[in-house]
Amino acid sequence: MALPEGGSVTKQDVIHWIDDCVAHSGHALVPDFRNLWMYAASKDYKYTQDHNLDWVGDGKRNPETVFATKFSTLGSESQIFSNIKQLFFGWRNQNSVPFGSGWGFGTVNPQLYEQWPDDDIRKKASICYVDDVETEGELYYQENQWNSMQDTRMWAKKTMPVTEWPEEGPRFDSNGFPTNGINVSVRLFGASTGMEVNNVNDQIEIRFSDILLMGSELGGPNAQQYMDRVRERVGLPSIPATLENIKLERRYELAFEGVRYWDILRWHDEEEAYSKIVKVPCLNDGRPGHVTVRFRPETKGFMQIPQQEIIKSDHVLKQNEGWYENPNFDINRVYNE
């Protein structure tokens, strides 16, 4: 890869940097994969109790975090200080335990759950399948999910608002539905009790296991060792560090962490991956339905640049391929409204 200031970066350079990071950065894998996620901090979650989990938390207690976005309790003043991603992935209209209210996005494609081997603890550590009462307990009330779309009854619990019961006060409303779950950030960090601002834990952007799998994919002298470390942590045996095996390992290890889309783009697997998302069963506002997602190859996977940004750049910015510029767009109208 050529650099704008001259010179280049080679594959061997990157392998060397990853090897150096692995050997000398001080980062390490947390012994129990499940302790990475904030649900391990909820004292009232059956899954946490059954496995004696203990959240490793933000900051120095977590050697696996390489890069993270930080948030703060100033969220009581504005959403920009709080972890909005968790708010997006919360249950719609149900503030119970161990997961709290949010905006109902990011339900899980059942195809992933069905494909994922049961002997991989990351499956149930990453997906909350509410019909699996033995694992999750009685925690989901479909009657509460009014106006919820693409509800597959599977949720990405790595990224959901995490709650626990109050020390005092009612847990159920007059209709018998659970309510009054309190975000664990209130106890841990003194956060506000407001639903839209009380998620203040770190958003992990790069974990050490991602670094290990990068090194494995590059095929350096430590490729097999790096993949083995990731699998050994979750009790799985060694398998050859082939590209196809690494693709699956990244999908399972890093599920719902915001890297899958970019992985399939760089592997040029996007059209094949999207071709399988056809009539996936779900509930829309409580009624049976299905969802199909199409990939537009002409866009190469890139989003549309907002027209107002193109205009503000005096058309130095050019629209991404597959999209078009709107000659009737009025930037003054946007700001006046």
Side-chain angles (χ1 to χ4, degrees), residues 184-200:
V184 296
S185 290
V186 176
R187 171 172 57 87
L188 295 176
F189 309 121
S192 163
T193 57
M195 179 192 87
E196 296 188 353
V197 294
N198 61 12
N199 298 290
V200 299

Side-chain angles (χ1 to χ4, degrees), residues 274-275 277-278 292-297:
Y274 275 79
S275 69
I277 312 176
V278 178
T292 296
V293 182
R294 306 290 187 191
F295 181 79
R296 294 181 56 206

